[in-house]
Amino acid sequence: MSIASWKRRHFVAAALVTVVCGVVIGTLLHPSSVSGQGPVRTAVLNAPLPPPVLGPDIVPLTNVQKLGKFLIYDNTLSDPPGYACATCHIPSTGHTGPSSQVNANAGPQPGVVPGRTGRRKPQTYNYATLSPEGPYFDNVAAAWVGGNFWDGRAPDSAAQALDPLVDPNEMANINQGTSAHPFSPLVVQKIQTRPYSDLFKQEWGPDVFTKYTPQQLYILVGAAMAAFEDSPEVNSFSSKYDASKFGVPPMHKYKLTASEERGRRLFFGNALCSACHSSTGLPVLQAVTNGKDTFTMYCFANIGIPRNPLNPFYQETDCTTNPLGCNALGTNFIDLGLGGNPNPAPNGMKFFHTTLGDIPQFNGLFQAPTVRDVDKRPTPTFVKAYMHNGVFKSLKEVVHFYNTRNLTTSDLPLRGKPSKNPINLTNPTTYAASLGTRKPIWGPPEVLDPTSNLVQTYMGYVTLNNPTGLPPSQGGQVGNLGLTDQQENDIVAFLKILTADFTKPNPIIH
Ligand code: HEC
Ligand code: HEC
């Protein structure tokens, strides 16, 4: 496999069909201050996570996929040793965080250096290799699409893998490269002495370790890891959904219950989930997956996730011991998503010029993750954290959020009709005015947080999806869906049948 083959997925814009993961553009914001934001609670700084267990192969792996698997489970590659990629991405949770307690207490995971912590929840790496090289602006999706990470800062999975190794809050090797092209000589040294080092020779020749420069060898590490992530062991398309008549190919091994079927109709219909969480709307993506649904469009949207008061990153303020990974803003920290992506898009376009967030139309946009495996957990009581900051702890909470983001407690209990008087989340002023004395069900969107000095950088743009809370009948997407409690439960029931391992892997045939 060549390095270049990892850059192969080049997507051509197809004809415009429907507006799907649309970017909401250009409402005017009048900055003003508003009080009333709840206090940030003291989060628990969790101890480093335990080492992962290397399980048996589920499918026959090619040489390079096998190498990638060994690398991803090698917990000596961090500095100090102790962390592997798989430490934060374990199979039994759908390749996200391994600890129920950390998920419940935080969401973001502790790094290998005690006391350090990341700012985000591990995005699953399942189906990440199918994300188009990006981010690029896609005319069909009417949105930025592609790349890896919540903020799209890696163009593809092979590039992505090189970042956690040198992230000071993750595997903590010293980066002797740049943000866009990281490089750790120590990692390159280590991989040459590991039991799996022969697999490098089998793949790239007996002289691989002398033929290539250390920088090139580091790139091969990422390519091998991405090869494993691209294998049917990870992208397995083996859920009940795939095994039903709706899968590709249709299998009829699983029949949806009445509730799951109602959930399916809502997901692809009135609840509008498929606008962002399905590849069926993007023909270029469907061509790569041979019609199988990735349950994401890999598009970026600002759905207005509130801040996570338990995000331990608020306490990561020690810039003396952790100059490259600290959070100088403390509790004022706002995660800008794509607007804080330090790396330019593949076409050279920048997501900010000189200061984070100074190109306002990117602020608050995060990549819609796949909803495959969102319910995968080792035991029924295991807590998973959802969204980029892990603020939500159950799928019911997630769906209730989509249904009621713009609602107040006076709209409860749910009556199955959209609220006629939704909160206007356009800016802090409209928020306060439209709320009046009513109580919001949710905290305000993180990017609208009036306690932050960064609100000023929005400079008149609102990237939030459906800020005024229009119901779907008037073109609104997120926030005021008018679903009943039962309909929320039906959508949750549908999400649960997207968990892998109901059948054997049912991979894409290339
Ligand atoms: C300390 C925990 C931790 C470790 C160790 C870690 N990750 Fe992650 N991973 C995360 C977090 C957190 C994110 C989301 C980060 C972001 O978007 O900024 C993530 C995101 C990803 C993604 C992006 C998925 C997508 O859909 O775009 C991939 C792929 C991935 N990790 C693979 C790896 C690999 C490969 C390694 C080892 C080289 C690794 N991770 C090590 C926590 C970790
Ligand atoms: C406008 C696009 C859009 C629509 C419509 C949408 N989502 Fe999302 N979804 C996103 C984005 C973007 C994120 C990540 C947001 C973040 O973390 O800030 C997300 C995150 C999620 C997550 C969390 C996954 C994880 O790994 O943490 C779930 C579950 C989810 N969505 C389910 C749904 C359901 C169910 C619906 C329909 C009721 C829906 N979404 C509608 C864009 C969308």
Side-chain angles (χ1 to χ4, degrees), residues 240-412:
K240 287 177 176 170
Y241 177 82
D242 299 288
S244 74
K245 67 177 178 184
F246 304 109
V248 174
M251 280 196 268
H252 301 280
K253 285 183 184 166
Y254 182 77
K255 193 172 178 312
L256 272 60
T257 65
S259 171
E260 290 160 359
E261 172 59 12
R262 288 194 301 269
R264 186 190 72 82
R265 284 169 189 261
L266 286 164
F267 186 94
F268 287 100
N270 290 344
L272 305 167
C273 313
S274 63
C276 305
H277 293 290
S278 170
S279 51
T280 52
L282 258 196
V284 281
L285 207 47
Q286 291 293 94
V288 171
T289 64
N290 280 344
K292 292 182 197 293
D293 199 333
T294 57
F295 283 96
T296 170
M297 205 174 278
Y298 305 101
C299 56
F300 289 80
N302 176 1
I303 57 169
I305 297 303
R307 71 154 77 202
N308 176 3
L310 291 177
N311 191 338
F313 191 60
Y314 293 132
Q315 289 174 62
E316 180 70 88
T317 49
D318 183 353
C319 295
T320 314
T321 60
N322 188 13
L324 299 174
C326 72
N327 161 23
L329 291 169
T331 53
N332 271 333
F333 168 74
I334 294 250
D335 197 335
L336 295 170
L338 191 59
N341 172 357
N343 304 328
N347 72 2
M349 225 202 62
K350 288 181 166 178
F351 295 104
F352 64 83
H353 295 303
T354 49
T355 322
L356 294 184
D358 69 7
I359 310 182
Q361 59 265 44
F362 298 128
N363 290 339
L365 301 181
F366 290 88
Q367 187 177 65
T370 181
V371 290
R372 282 183 179 271
D373 301 318
V374 279
D375 191 52
K376 193 155 198 240
R377 58 188 93 225
T379 58
T381 54
F382 182 98
V383 178
K384 290 187 81 172
Y386 297 106
M387 305 300 171
H388 70 269
N389 58 13
V391 64
F392 298 144
K393 309 300 179 185
S394 74
L395 290 172
K396 173 71 178 175
E397 200 180 0
V398 168
V399 177
H400 190 51
F401 171 79
Y402 280 105
N403 190 19
T404 62
R405 185 195 65 189
N406 291 61
L407 272 48
T408 65
T409 52
S410 57
D411 292 303
L412 299 176

Side-chain angles (χ1 to χ4, degrees), residues 484-500:
T484 61
D485 189 52
Q486 179 61 49
Q487 286 176 315
E488 288 183 353
N489 295 342
D490 292 339
I491 295 175
V492 172
F494 176 69
L495 292 173
K496 289 183 175 209
I497 66 166
L498 302 179
T499 300

Side-chain angles (χ1 to χ4, degrees), residues 1 6 53-74 77 85-86 125 191 194-204 220-234:
M1 186 194 60
W6 284 99
V53 180
L54 177 65
D57 296 349
I58 297 167
V59 291
L61 297 174
T62 64
N63 179 62
V64 68
Q65 289 169 344
K66 186 80 191 159
L67 172 60
K69 184 169 177 181
F70 280 129
L71 286 163
I72 281 183
Y73 282 83
D74 183 345
L77 294 186
C85 309
Y125 62 56
I191 53 153
R194 292 297 177 265
Y196 54 73
S197 65
D198 273 358
L199 297 179
F200 276 98
K201 297 180 184 160
Q202 280 172 38
E203 192 63 24
W204 287 291
L220 294 183
V221 169
M225 287 176 168
F228 171 66
E229 291 166 357
D230 199 43
S231 75
E233 185 163 324
V234 178

